[in-house]
Amino acid sequence: MKVVAENRRARYEYAIDDVFEAGIVLQGTEVKALRAGEGSIADSYAEVRGGEVWLVNANIPEFSHGNRFNHEPKRPRKLLLKAREISKFHGAIARKGMTLVPLSIFFNDRNRAKVELALAKGKQLHDKRAATKEREWQRDKARLMRDKG
């Protein structure tokens, strides 16, 4: 599994409930740009529109060796999911106030581009502080165990 783009800030900003793997509809030059390791999903999100899920604001820069048929870098891209998963997303977003956050874009073992998508709820400031405190305590505990044995 080759990870191309990762949203590292998402795990800090959101409390993640469920993680799904979705296919993504790409044009040829987008695939080439991703294979070259270019792409960013730091500011992106996913939304349910018209019974389909779309990845919005993901940046896949134009392919350097592309021609006049090169792709638009920040266009919305359709995600491929089962109807049951889409209805689950729609219900969770409408009722519970959750959001769809892309965690990473990667190529699976069959060399297909996939998006790891999470159903998440935004954290409050005190939750972020507690998570930071817990992470630092785990780091200190591991350091003490390593040093003192």
Side-chain angles (χ1 to χ4, degrees):
M1 189 168 92
K2 179 187 172 191
V3 176
V4 177
E6 192 172 13
N7 189 355
R8 298 182 61 184
R9 192 128 179 98
R11 295 194 189 274
Y12 178 73
E13 296 283 336
Y14 298 96
I16 294 172
D17 284 347
D18 293 331
V19 178
F20 296 91
E21 184 178 304
I24 183 169
V25 177
L26 297 172
Q27 295 176 353
T29 54
E30 289 175 324
V31 175
K32 290 179 180 185
L34 284 176
R35 287 202 191 280
E38 299 173 354
S40 171
I41 56 170
D43 298 329
S44 64
Y45 60 96
E47 65 182 7
V48 179
R49 252 192 280 152
E52 297 175 336
V53 180
W54 294 85
L55 182 64
V56 180
N57 210 19
N59 185 24
I60 300 174
E62 289 185 348
F63 185 57
S64 59
H65 302 301
N67 55 14
R68 63 184 178 159
F69 299 113
N70 224 339
H71 65 276
E72 185 181 332
K74 287 204 170 199
R75 73 175 183 89
R77 293 165 179 93
K78 184 177 176 182
L79 297 180
L80 304 172
L81 290 158
K82 296 187 183 231
R84 184 180 302 145
E85 293 172 335
I86 294 172
S87 65
K88 180 178 181 180
F89 290 155
H90 186 66
I93 290 169
R95 281 191 300 265
K96 300 178 189 172
M98 301 183 99
T99 186
L100 286 173
V101 181
L103 299 177
S104 65
I105 295 178
F106 62 94
F107 286 99
N108 67 358
D109 54 350
R110 294 175 53 189
N111 284 326
R112 305 267 190 228
K114 301 284 183 176
V115 176
E116 190 175 36
L117 204 61
L119 195 56
K121 192 169 186 86
K123 285 185 183 177
Q124 299 293 324
L125 181 61
H126 58 84
D127 294 334
K128 294 178 190 176
R129 287 181 183 153
T132 304
K133 187 176 179 181
E134 177 67 26
R135 186 174 58 244
E136 288 175 356
W137 166 240
Q138 293 296 330
R139 189 179 306 135
D140 291 342
K141 189 167 66 172
R143 189 176 298 132
L144 286 171
M145 291 297 289
R146 186 182 65 233
D147 293 342
K148 304 280 185 198

Short mmCIF file of all heavy atoms in Angstrom, two decimals, residues 136-148:
data_model
loop_
_atom_site.label_atom_id
_atom_site.label_comp_id
_atom_site.label_asym_id
_atom_site.label_seq_id
_atom_site.Cartn_x
_atom_site.Cartn_y
_atom_site.Cartn_z
N GLU A 136 1.36 13.01 25.47
CA GLU A 136 2.63 13.33 26.13
C GLU A 136 2.90 12.39 27.30
O GLU A 136 4.04 11.99 27.52
CB GLU A 136 2.61 14.78 26.60
CG GLU A 136 2.71 15.76 25.47
CD GLU A 136 2.58 17.20 25.92
OE1 GLU A 136 2.34 17.44 27.14
OE2 GLU A 136 2.69 18.09 25.06
N TRP A 137 1.86 12.00 28.05
CA TRP A 137 2.03 11.07 29.15
C TRP A 137 2.48 9.70 28.63
O TRP A 137 3.36 9.07 29.21
CB TRP A 137 0.77 10.94 29.97
CG TRP A 137 0.79 9.76 30.90
CD1 TRP A 137 -0.06 8.72 30.90
CD2 TRP A 137 1.73 9.49 31.93
NE1 TRP A 137 0.28 7.81 31.86
CE2 TRP A 137 1.40 8.26 32.52
CE3 TRP A 137 2.86 10.15 32.41
CZ2 TRP A 137 2.12 7.69 33.55
CZ3 TRP A 137 3.58 9.58 33.46
CH2 TRP A 137 3.21 8.37 34.02
N GLN A 138 1.90 9.23 27.55
CA GLN A 138 2.31 7.95 26.96
C GLN A 138 3.77 8.00 26.51
O GLN A 138 4.52 7.04 26.70
CB GLN A 138 1.41 7.57 25.78
CG GLN A 138 -0.02 7.27 26.17
CD GLN A 138 -0.15 6.05 27.07
OE1 GLN A 138 0.65 5.12 27.00
NE2 GLN A 138 -1.14 6.09 27.94
N ARG A 139 4.18 9.11 25.94
CA ARG A 139 5.56 9.28 25.50
C ARG A 139 6.51 9.27 26.69
O ARG A 139 7.55 8.61 26.68
CB ARG A 139 5.69 10.58 24.71
CG ARG A 139 7.03 10.74 24.03
CD ARG A 139 7.13 12.04 23.24
NE ARG A 139 6.04 12.19 22.30
CZ ARG A 139 5.35 13.31 22.13
NH1 ARG A 139 5.61 14.38 22.85
NH2 ARG A 139 4.39 13.37 21.24
N ASP A 140 6.14 10.01 27.77
CA ASP A 140 6.98 10.04 28.97
C ASP A 140 7.05 8.68 29.65
O ASP A 140 8.11 8.27 30.13
CB ASP A 140 6.46 11.08 29.97
CG ASP A 140 6.65 12.51 29.47
OD1 ASP A 140 7.48 12.70 28.55
OD2 ASP A 140 5.98 13.41 30.00
N LYS A 141 5.92 7.98 29.67
CA LYS A 141 5.88 6.65 30.28
C LYS A 141 6.78 5.69 29.52
O LYS A 141 7.53 4.91 30.13
CB LYS A 141 4.44 6.15 30.30
CG LYS A 141 4.23 4.88 31.08
CD LYS A 141 2.77 4.59 31.34
CE LYS A 141 2.04 4.28 30.05
NZ LYS A 141 0.67 3.80 30.27
N ALA A 142 6.74 5.74 28.21
CA ALA A 142 7.60 4.87 27.40
C ALA A 142 9.06 5.21 27.61
O ALA A 142 9.92 4.32 27.70
CB ALA A 142 7.23 5.00 25.92
N ARG A 143 9.37 6.50 27.74
CA ARG A 143 10.75 6.93 27.98
C ARG A 143 11.24 6.44 29.35
O ARG A 143 12.36 5.96 29.47
CB ARG A 143 10.82 8.45 27.90
CG ARG A 143 12.23 9.01 27.92
CD ARG A 143 12.26 10.51 27.74
NE ARG A 143 11.69 10.89 26.46
CZ ARG A 143 10.79 11.83 26.28
NH1 ARG A 143 10.31 12.51 27.31
NH2 ARG A 143 10.35 12.13 25.08
N LEU A 144 10.39 6.54 30.37
CA LEU A 144 10.75 6.05 31.71
C LEU A 144 10.98 4.53 31.72
O LEU A 144 11.95 4.05 32.31
CB LEU A 144 9.66 6.42 32.72
CG LEU A 144 9.61 7.88 33.14
CD1 LEU A 144 8.35 8.12 33.98
CD2 LEU A 144 10.85 8.24 33.93
N MET A 145 10.10 3.81 31.06
CA MET A 145 10.25 2.35 31.00
C MET A 145 11.53 1.95 30.26
O MET A 145 12.20 1.00 30.64
CB MET A 145 9.04 1.71 30.32
CG MET A 145 7.77 1.82 31.12
SD MET A 145 7.86 0.96 32.69
CE MET A 145 7.84 -0.72 32.13
N ARG A 146 11.86 2.70 29.23
CA ARG A 146 13.06 2.38 28.46
C ARG A 146 14.32 2.68 29.27
O ARG A 146 15.27 1.91 29.29
CB ARG A 146 13.07 3.19 27.16
CG ARG A 146 14.21 2.82 26.23
CD ARG A 146 14.21 3.69 24.97
NE ARG A 146 14.47 5.07 25.33
CZ ARG A 146 13.73 6.11 24.97
NH1 ARG A 146 12.66 5.93 24.25
NH2 ARG A 146 14.05 7.34 25.33
N ASP A 147 14.31 3.81 30.00
CA ASP A 147 15.50 4.22 30.75
C ASP A 147 15.68 3.44 32.05
O ASP A 147 16.77 3.00 32.38
CB ASP A 147 15.45 5.71 31.07
CG ASP A 147 15.55 6.58 29.82
OD1 ASP A 147 16.00 6.04 28.78
OD2 ASP A 147 15.18 7.76 29.88
N LYS A 148 14.62 3.25 32.82
CA LYS A 148 14.69 2.60 34.14
C LYS A 148 14.57 1.07 34.04
O LYS A 148 14.93 0.37 34.96
CB LYS A 148 13.59 3.14 35.06
CG LYS A 148 13.61 4.63 35.22
CD LYS A 148 14.64 5.08 36.19
CE LYS A 148 14.50 6.58 36.37
NZ LYS A 148 15.60 7.21 36.93
#
